[in-house]
Amino acid sequence: MSTDATYLPVEESTYRRVRQMLLSGEIPAGHPVNQSEVAVALGVSRTPVRRALARLEGEGLVSAGPRGWHAEGFDAERMTAVFEIRAVLEGLACRLAAAKVGRAELARLRVLFEEAYEQLTATGSAEAYYQADVAFHRALLALAGEPLLSRTAEVHRILTTSLAPGLYRDPHETHPEHLAIIEALGAGDADRAEELARSHIRAAVPNIRSGTVVVPAIGAS
């Protein structure tokens, strides 16, 4: 988990930390979530924990019942659905971005991946590449310039949920795919950019179903 949460307001940092506990399996799916135990573990009062759980219920990560909260988790079927939704949203984002993205933004994304990939090959650590991957997919939604699209992804935590466990495919496999998407955007080819984005994301589905994931050396935020 990223140490960035340490410097956030207590309510937000607690939300992120509890969320990571659920996504990582530290609090296993189907198990009760004891507010007092979580509060002690995180060094906070029960109030931010209770508010975090209320937010997480809206994301489908916990459910409230007469006996308290229970962890729901994301099995392969639910995560597959998340990736299918991502494929549609990011495909549309690329279609929209192709008509308006500037050279500076594309150059920044290209350098981001080139530097991260070089670090990966030099050190064997996938952390920098993971961070580049997160930044890249967030950038696609932003470059579309459509607030409703970005808001849809954010409200339902589509990107955060799907990327939190780590990388679902080997960076050596996905690196050229990222660069191909950038090239299609640079050429203003909306059809190809959308097609590449969708196929790139959907290619992770077999690994989701088999439980294969590349976990970076440092945990995801």
Short mmCIF file of all heavy atoms in Angstrom, two decimals, residues 78-96 137 140-141 149 152-153 158-159 162-163 169 181 190-205 208:
data_model
loop_
_atom_site.label_atom_id
_atom_site.label_comp_id
_atom_site.label_asym_id
_atom_site.label_seq_id
_atom_site.Cartn_x
_atom_site.Cartn_y
_atom_site.Cartn_z
N ARG A 78 -16.78 -11.27 -11.04
CA ARG A 78 -17.01 -9.85 -10.84
C ARG A 78 -15.87 -9.01 -11.43
O ARG A 78 -16.10 -7.96 -12.01
CB ARG A 78 -17.17 -9.54 -9.35
CG ARG A 78 -18.43 -10.12 -8.73
CD ARG A 78 -18.58 -9.66 -7.31
NE ARG A 78 -18.99 -8.26 -7.24
CZ ARG A 78 -18.99 -7.56 -6.11
NH1 ARG A 78 -18.59 -8.11 -4.98
NH2 ARG A 78 -19.37 -6.29 -6.09
N MET A 79 -14.62 -9.49 -11.26
CA MET A 79 -13.50 -8.73 -11.79
C MET A 79 -13.51 -8.76 -13.32
O MET A 79 -13.14 -7.77 -13.97
CB MET A 79 -12.19 -9.30 -11.26
CG MET A 79 -10.98 -8.41 -11.56
SD MET A 79 -11.11 -6.76 -10.83
CE MET A 79 -10.52 -7.07 -9.17
N THR A 80 -13.95 -9.86 -13.90
CA THR A 80 -14.08 -9.92 -15.35
C THR A 80 -15.07 -8.87 -15.84
O THR A 80 -14.83 -8.19 -16.84
CB THR A 80 -14.55 -11.32 -15.80
OG1 THR A 80 -13.54 -12.29 -15.46
CG2 THR A 80 -14.80 -11.37 -17.30
N ALA A 81 -16.18 -8.72 -15.11
CA ALA A 81 -17.17 -7.71 -15.48
C ALA A 81 -16.57 -6.31 -15.40
O ALA A 81 -16.83 -5.46 -16.26
CB ALA A 81 -18.39 -7.82 -14.57
N VAL A 82 -15.76 -6.07 -14.38
CA VAL A 82 -15.10 -4.77 -14.24
C VAL A 82 -14.21 -4.49 -15.44
O VAL A 82 -14.20 -3.38 -15.99
CB VAL A 82 -14.27 -4.72 -12.93
CG1 VAL A 82 -13.37 -3.47 -12.92
CG2 VAL A 82 -15.19 -4.70 -11.71
N PHE A 83 -13.46 -5.49 -15.88
CA PHE A 83 -12.56 -5.29 -17.01
C PHE A 83 -13.33 -5.11 -18.32
O PHE A 83 -12.91 -4.35 -19.20
CB PHE A 83 -11.58 -6.47 -17.13
CG PHE A 83 -10.29 -6.22 -16.39
CD1 PHE A 83 -10.25 -6.29 -15.00
CD2 PHE A 83 -9.12 -5.91 -17.07
CE1 PHE A 83 -9.07 -6.05 -14.31
CE2 PHE A 83 -7.94 -5.66 -16.39
CZ PHE A 83 -7.92 -5.73 -15.01
N GLU A 84 -14.47 -5.77 -18.46
CA GLU A 84 -15.28 -5.57 -19.65
C GLU A 84 -15.83 -4.14 -19.70
O GLU A 84 -15.88 -3.51 -20.76
CB GLU A 84 -16.43 -6.59 -19.68
CG GLU A 84 -15.99 -8.02 -19.96
CD GLU A 84 -15.51 -8.21 -21.40
OE1 GLU A 84 -15.65 -7.30 -22.23
OE2 GLU A 84 -14.96 -9.30 -21.69
N ILE A 85 -16.23 -3.64 -18.55
CA ILE A 85 -16.71 -2.26 -18.48
C ILE A 85 -15.56 -1.29 -18.78
O ILE A 85 -15.73 -0.31 -19.50
CB ILE A 85 -17.32 -1.97 -17.09
CG1 ILE A 85 -18.58 -2.82 -16.90
CG2 ILE A 85 -17.65 -0.49 -16.94
CD1 ILE A 85 -19.12 -2.81 -15.48
N ARG A 86 -14.39 -1.59 -18.22
CA ARG A 86 -13.21 -0.77 -18.51
C ARG A 86 -12.92 -0.72 -20.00
O ARG A 86 -12.57 0.33 -20.55
CB ARG A 86 -11.99 -1.34 -17.79
CG ARG A 86 -11.61 -0.68 -16.50
CD ARG A 86 -10.25 -1.16 -16.05
NE ARG A 86 -9.20 -0.61 -16.90
CZ ARG A 86 -7.94 -1.04 -16.87
NH1 ARG A 86 -7.59 -2.04 -16.08
NH2 ARG A 86 -7.03 -0.49 -17.65
N ALA A 87 -13.02 -1.86 -20.65
CA ALA A 87 -12.72 -1.93 -22.08
C ALA A 87 -13.62 -0.99 -22.87
O ALA A 87 -13.16 -0.29 -23.79
CB ALA A 87 -12.87 -3.37 -22.58
N VAL A 88 -14.89 -0.96 -22.50
CA VAL A 88 -15.83 -0.08 -23.20
C VAL A 88 -15.53 1.38 -22.90
O VAL A 88 -15.46 2.23 -23.81
CB VAL A 88 -17.28 -0.42 -22.80
CG1 VAL A 88 -18.25 0.60 -23.40
CG2 VAL A 88 -17.64 -1.82 -23.27
N LEU A 89 -15.33 1.71 -21.63
CA LEU A 89 -15.09 3.09 -21.24
C LEU A 89 -13.78 3.64 -21.83
O LEU A 89 -13.75 4.75 -22.37
CB LEU A 89 -15.05 3.21 -19.71
CG LEU A 89 -16.36 2.98 -18.96
CD1 LEU A 89 -16.13 3.08 -17.46
CD2 LEU A 89 -17.42 3.98 -19.40
N GLU A 90 -12.71 2.85 -21.73
CA GLU A 90 -11.44 3.34 -22.23
C GLU A 90 -11.37 3.30 -23.75
O GLU A 90 -10.67 4.11 -24.36
CB GLU A 90 -10.28 2.56 -21.60
CG GLU A 90 -10.14 2.86 -20.13
CD GLU A 90 -8.87 2.29 -19.53
OE1 GLU A 90 -7.82 2.27 -20.21
OE2 GLU A 90 -8.93 1.84 -18.37
N GLY A 91 -12.09 2.38 -24.35
CA GLY A 91 -12.17 2.39 -25.81
C GLY A 91 -12.82 3.67 -26.29
O GLY A 91 -12.34 4.33 -27.22
N LEU A 92 -13.92 4.05 -25.63
CA LEU A 92 -14.60 5.30 -25.97
C LEU A 92 -13.70 6.49 -25.69
O LEU A 92 -13.65 7.45 -26.47
CB LEU A 92 -15.90 5.41 -25.18
CG LEU A 92 -16.68 6.72 -25.34
CD1 LEU A 92 -17.04 6.97 -26.81
CD2 LEU A 92 -17.93 6.70 -24.46
N ALA A 93 -12.97 6.45 -24.57
CA ALA A 93 -12.06 7.54 -24.22
C ALA A 93 -11.02 7.74 -25.32
O ALA A 93 -10.72 8.88 -25.70
CB ALA A 93 -11.38 7.25 -22.89
N CYS A 94 -10.48 6.66 -25.84
CA CYS A 94 -9.48 6.75 -26.90
C CYS A 94 -10.09 7.31 -28.19
O CYS A 94 -9.46 8.09 -28.90
CB CYS A 94 -8.85 5.39 -27.16
SG CYS A 94 -7.62 4.92 -25.93
N ARG A 95 -11.30 6.90 -28.48
CA ARG A 95 -11.98 7.43 -29.68
C ARG A 95 -12.13 8.95 -29.58
O ARG A 95 -11.88 9.67 -30.54
CB ARG A 95 -13.35 6.76 -29.83
CG ARG A 95 -14.26 7.40 -30.88
CD ARG A 95 -15.47 6.57 -31.17
NE ARG A 95 -15.11 5.36 -31.91
CZ ARG A 95 -14.89 5.31 -33.21
NH1 ARG A 95 -14.98 6.43 -33.95
NH2 ARG A 95 -14.59 4.18 -33.79
N LEU A 96 -12.54 9.42 -28.41
CA LEU A 96 -12.72 10.85 -28.22
C LEU A 96 -11.39 11.58 -28.18
O LEU A 96 -11.25 12.68 -28.73
CB LEU A 96 -13.50 11.10 -26.93
CG LEU A 96 -14.94 10.57 -26.88
CD1 LEU A 96 -15.53 10.78 -25.49
CD2 LEU A 96 -15.80 11.25 -27.94
N HIS A 137 -3.61 4.82 -17.86
CA HIS A 137 -5.05 4.56 -18.00
C HIS A 137 -5.89 5.69 -17.40
O HIS A 137 -6.98 5.97 -17.91
CB HIS A 137 -5.39 3.20 -17.40
CG HIS A 137 -4.89 2.06 -18.23
ND1 HIS A 137 -5.48 1.68 -19.40
CD2 HIS A 137 -3.80 1.25 -18.06
CE1 HIS A 137 -4.79 0.68 -19.94
NE2 HIS A 137 -3.79 0.40 -19.14
N LEU A 140 -5.88 8.39 -20.16
CA LEU A 140 -6.78 8.14 -21.28
C LEU A 140 -8.17 8.71 -21.01
O LEU A 140 -8.79 9.34 -21.87
CB LEU A 140 -6.89 6.64 -21.56
CG LEU A 140 -5.65 5.93 -22.11
CD1 LEU A 140 -5.97 4.47 -22.38
CD2 LEU A 140 -5.14 6.61 -23.37
N LEU A 141 -8.65 8.50 -19.79
CA LEU A 141 -9.96 9.02 -19.42
C LEU A 141 -9.96 10.55 -19.40
O LEU A 141 -10.92 11.19 -19.83
CB LEU A 141 -10.39 8.47 -18.06
CG LEU A 141 -10.66 6.96 -18.01
CD1 LEU A 141 -10.84 6.50 -16.57
CD2 LEU A 141 -11.89 6.59 -18.84
N LEU A 149 -17.81 10.81 -18.78
CA LEU A 149 -17.07 9.56 -18.91
C LEU A 149 -16.16 9.35 -17.72
O LEU A 149 -16.15 8.28 -17.10
CB LEU A 149 -16.26 9.58 -20.21
CG LEU A 149 -15.41 8.34 -20.52
CD1 LEU A 149 -16.28 7.10 -20.63
CD2 LEU A 149 -14.62 8.57 -21.80
N THR A 152 -18.19 8.66 -14.57
CA THR A 152 -18.74 7.30 -14.53
C THR A 152 -17.70 6.32 -14.02
O THR A 152 -17.99 5.46 -13.17
CB THR A 152 -19.21 6.88 -15.93
OG1 THR A 152 -20.25 7.75 -16.37
CG2 THR A 152 -19.75 5.44 -15.91
N ALA A 153 -16.49 6.43 -14.52
CA ALA A 153 -15.41 5.54 -14.09
C ALA A 153 -15.06 5.76 -12.63
O ALA A 153 -14.80 4.82 -11.88
CB ALA A 153 -14.19 5.74 -14.97
N ILE A 158 -14.09 2.01 -11.18
CA ILE A 158 -13.74 0.97 -12.15
C ILE A 158 -12.24 0.81 -12.28
O ILE A 158 -11.70 -0.30 -12.19
CB ILE A 158 -14.37 1.29 -13.53
CG1 ILE A 158 -15.90 1.26 -13.45
CG2 ILE A 158 -13.87 0.31 -14.59
CD1 ILE A 158 -16.48 -0.07 -13.06
N LEU A 159 -11.54 1.91 -12.48
CA LEU A 159 -10.10 1.83 -12.71
C LEU A 159 -9.36 1.44 -11.44
O LEU A 159 -8.49 0.56 -11.46
CB LEU A 159 -9.58 3.17 -13.23
CG LEU A 159 -8.15 3.19 -13.76
CD1 LEU A 159 -7.99 2.17 -14.89
CD2 LEU A 159 -7.79 4.58 -14.25
N SER A 162 -9.87 -2.31 -10.57
CA SER A 162 -9.23 -3.27 -11.47
C SER A 162 -7.72 -3.24 -11.39
O SER A 162 -7.06 -4.25 -11.65
CB SER A 162 -9.67 -3.01 -12.92
OG SER A 162 -9.30 -1.71 -13.33
N LEU A 163 -7.14 -2.09 -10.99
CA LEU A 163 -5.69 -1.99 -10.95
C LEU A 163 -5.09 -2.26 -9.57
O LEU A 163 -3.90 -2.49 -9.45
CB LEU A 163 -5.25 -0.60 -11.43
CG LEU A 163 -5.43 -0.34 -12.93
CD1 LEU A 163 -5.14 1.12 -13.24
CD2 LEU A 163 -4.51 -1.23 -13.74
N ARG A 169 -0.93 -8.82 -16.56
CA ARG A 169 -0.12 -9.42 -17.61
C ARG A 169 1.31 -8.95 -17.50
O ARG A 169 1.60 -7.90 -16.93
CB ARG A 169 -0.69 -9.08 -18.99
CG ARG A 169 -2.01 -9.77 -19.27
CD ARG A 169 -2.35 -9.68 -20.76
NE ARG A 169 -2.66 -8.33 -21.15
CZ ARG A 169 -2.38 -7.80 -22.34
NH1 ARG A 169 -1.73 -8.52 -23.25
NH2 ARG A 169 -2.74 -6.57 -22.64
N ILE A 181 -1.14 2.06 -28.77
CA ILE A 181 -2.28 2.93 -28.48
C ILE A 181 -1.85 4.39 -28.62
O ILE A 181 -2.56 5.22 -29.21
CB ILE A 181 -2.85 2.67 -27.07
CG1 ILE A 181 -3.48 1.27 -27.01
CG2 ILE A 181 -3.89 3.73 -26.69
CD1 ILE A 181 -3.87 0.83 -25.62
N ALA A 190 -9.11 7.25 -34.71
CA ALA A 190 -10.05 6.95 -33.64
C ALA A 190 -10.47 5.48 -33.61
O ALA A 190 -10.57 4.87 -32.54
CB ALA A 190 -11.28 7.85 -33.75
N ASP A 191 -10.74 4.91 -34.79
CA ASP A 191 -11.17 3.51 -34.87
C ASP A 191 -10.11 2.58 -34.30
O ASP A 191 -10.40 1.69 -33.51
CB ASP A 191 -11.49 3.12 -36.31
CG ASP A 191 -12.76 3.77 -36.82
OD1 ASP A 191 -13.59 4.19 -35.99
OD2 ASP A 191 -12.94 3.86 -38.05
N ARG A 192 -8.86 2.79 -34.74
CA ARG A 192 -7.78 1.90 -34.30
C ARG A 192 -7.47 2.11 -32.82
O ARG A 192 -7.22 1.14 -32.09
CB ARG A 192 -6.54 2.13 -35.14
CG ARG A 192 -5.37 1.23 -34.73
CD ARG A 192 -4.34 1.06 -35.82
NE ARG A 192 -3.19 0.29 -35.38
CZ ARG A 192 -3.20 -1.03 -35.21
NH1 ARG A 192 -4.32 -1.70 -35.45
NH2 ARG A 192 -2.13 -1.67 -34.81
N ALA A 193 -7.48 3.35 -32.37
CA ALA A 193 -7.19 3.63 -30.96
C ALA A 193 -8.22 2.94 -30.07
O ALA A 193 -7.88 2.33 -29.05
CB ALA A 193 -7.19 5.13 -30.71
N GLU A 194 -9.48 3.02 -30.45
CA GLU A 194 -10.54 2.36 -29.67
C GLU A 194 -10.37 0.85 -29.69
O GLU A 194 -10.46 0.19 -28.65
CB GLU A 194 -11.91 2.73 -30.22
CG GLU A 194 -13.06 2.08 -29.46
CD GLU A 194 -14.42 2.53 -29.96
OE1 GLU A 194 -14.51 3.04 -31.10
OE2 GLU A 194 -15.40 2.37 -29.20
N GLU A 195 -10.10 0.30 -30.86
CA GLU A 195 -9.94 -1.15 -30.98
C GLU A 195 -8.75 -1.65 -30.16
O GLU A 195 -8.85 -2.67 -29.46
CB GLU A 195 -9.73 -1.51 -32.46
CG GLU A 195 -9.50 -3.00 -32.69
CD GLU A 195 -9.16 -3.31 -34.14
OE1 GLU A 195 -9.17 -2.38 -34.97
OE2 GLU A 195 -8.88 -4.49 -34.44
N LEU A 196 -7.63 -0.93 -30.23
CA LEU A 196 -6.43 -1.33 -29.49
C LEU A 196 -6.66 -1.26 -27.98
O LEU A 196 -6.22 -2.14 -27.24
CB LEU A 196 -5.26 -0.45 -29.88
CG LEU A 196 -4.67 -0.67 -31.27
CD1 LEU A 196 -3.64 0.41 -31.59
CD2 LEU A 196 -4.02 -2.05 -31.37
N ALA A 197 -7.35 -0.21 -27.54
CA ALA A 197 -7.60 -0.07 -26.10
C ALA A 197 -8.49 -1.20 -25.59
O ALA A 197 -8.23 -1.78 -24.53
CB ALA A 197 -8.25 1.29 -25.83
N ARG A 198 -9.53 -1.51 -26.34
CA ARG A 198 -10.43 -2.58 -25.91
C ARG A 198 -9.74 -3.94 -25.87
O ARG A 198 -9.88 -4.69 -24.90
CB ARG A 198 -11.66 -2.63 -26.83
CG ARG A 198 -12.59 -1.45 -26.70
CD ARG A 198 -13.91 -1.71 -27.40
NE ARG A 198 -14.82 -0.59 -27.28
CZ ARG A 198 -16.13 -0.67 -27.44
NH1 ARG A 198 -16.68 -1.83 -27.74
NH2 ARG A 198 -16.91 0.39 -27.32
N SER A 199 -8.99 -4.25 -26.91
CA SER A 199 -8.32 -5.55 -26.95
C SER A 199 -7.23 -5.64 -25.89
O SER A 199 -7.01 -6.70 -25.30
CB SER A 199 -7.74 -5.80 -28.34
OG SER A 199 -6.77 -4.82 -28.67
N HIS A 200 -6.55 -4.53 -25.62
CA HIS A 200 -5.51 -4.48 -24.60
C HIS A 200 -6.08 -4.85 -23.23
O HIS A 200 -5.50 -5.64 -22.49
CB HIS A 200 -4.89 -3.08 -24.58
CG HIS A 200 -4.06 -2.80 -23.37
ND1 HIS A 200 -2.85 -3.41 -23.14
CD2 HIS A 200 -4.27 -1.96 -22.30
CE1 HIS A 200 -2.35 -2.96 -21.99
NE2 HIS A 200 -3.19 -2.10 -21.48
N ILE A 201 -7.22 -4.27 -22.89
CA ILE A 201 -7.82 -4.52 -21.58
C ILE A 201 -8.44 -5.91 -21.52
O ILE A 201 -8.28 -6.64 -20.53
CB ILE A 201 -8.86 -3.44 -21.27
CG1 ILE A 201 -8.16 -2.08 -21.14
CG2 ILE A 201 -9.62 -3.76 -19.98
CD1 ILE A 201 -9.08 -0.90 -21.14
N ARG A 202 -9.12 -6.31 -22.57
CA ARG A 202 -9.78 -7.62 -22.56
C ARG A 202 -8.79 -8.78 -22.57
O ARG A 202 -9.13 -9.89 -22.16
CB ARG A 202 -10.72 -7.73 -23.76
CG ARG A 202 -12.00 -6.94 -23.57
CD ARG A 202 -12.89 -6.97 -24.78
NE ARG A 202 -14.18 -6.35 -24.51
CZ ARG A 202 -14.91 -5.71 -25.40
NH1 ARG A 202 -14.48 -5.61 -26.66
NH2 ARG A 202 -16.06 -5.18 -25.07
N ALA A 203 -7.57 -8.54 -22.99
CA ALA A 203 -6.56 -9.60 -23.00
C ALA A 203 -6.22 -10.07 -21.60
O ALA A 203 -5.63 -11.14 -21.42
CB ALA A 203 -5.30 -9.12 -23.72
N ALA A 204 -6.58 -9.28 -20.58
CA ALA A 204 -6.31 -9.67 -19.20
C ALA A 204 -7.32 -10.68 -18.66
O ALA A 204 -7.06 -11.34 -17.65
CB ALA A 204 -6.30 -8.44 -18.30
N VAL A 205 -8.46 -10.81 -19.32
CA VAL A 205 -9.54 -11.65 -18.79
C VAL A 205 -9.12 -13.11 -18.56
O VAL A 205 -9.43 -13.67 -17.51
CB VAL A 205 -10.79 -11.57 -19.70
CG1 VAL A 205 -11.83 -12.60 -19.29
CG2 VAL A 205 -11.39 -10.16 -19.63
N ILE A 208 -7.33 -13.26 -15.36
CA ILE A 208 -8.23 -13.03 -14.22
C ILE A 208 -8.91 -14.34 -13.86
O ILE A 208 -8.99 -14.72 -12.69
CB ILE A 208 -9.28 -11.96 -14.57
CG1 ILE A 208 -8.60 -10.60 -14.75
CG2 ILE A 208 -10.35 -11.88 -13.48
CD1 ILE A 208 -9.52 -9.54 -15.30
#
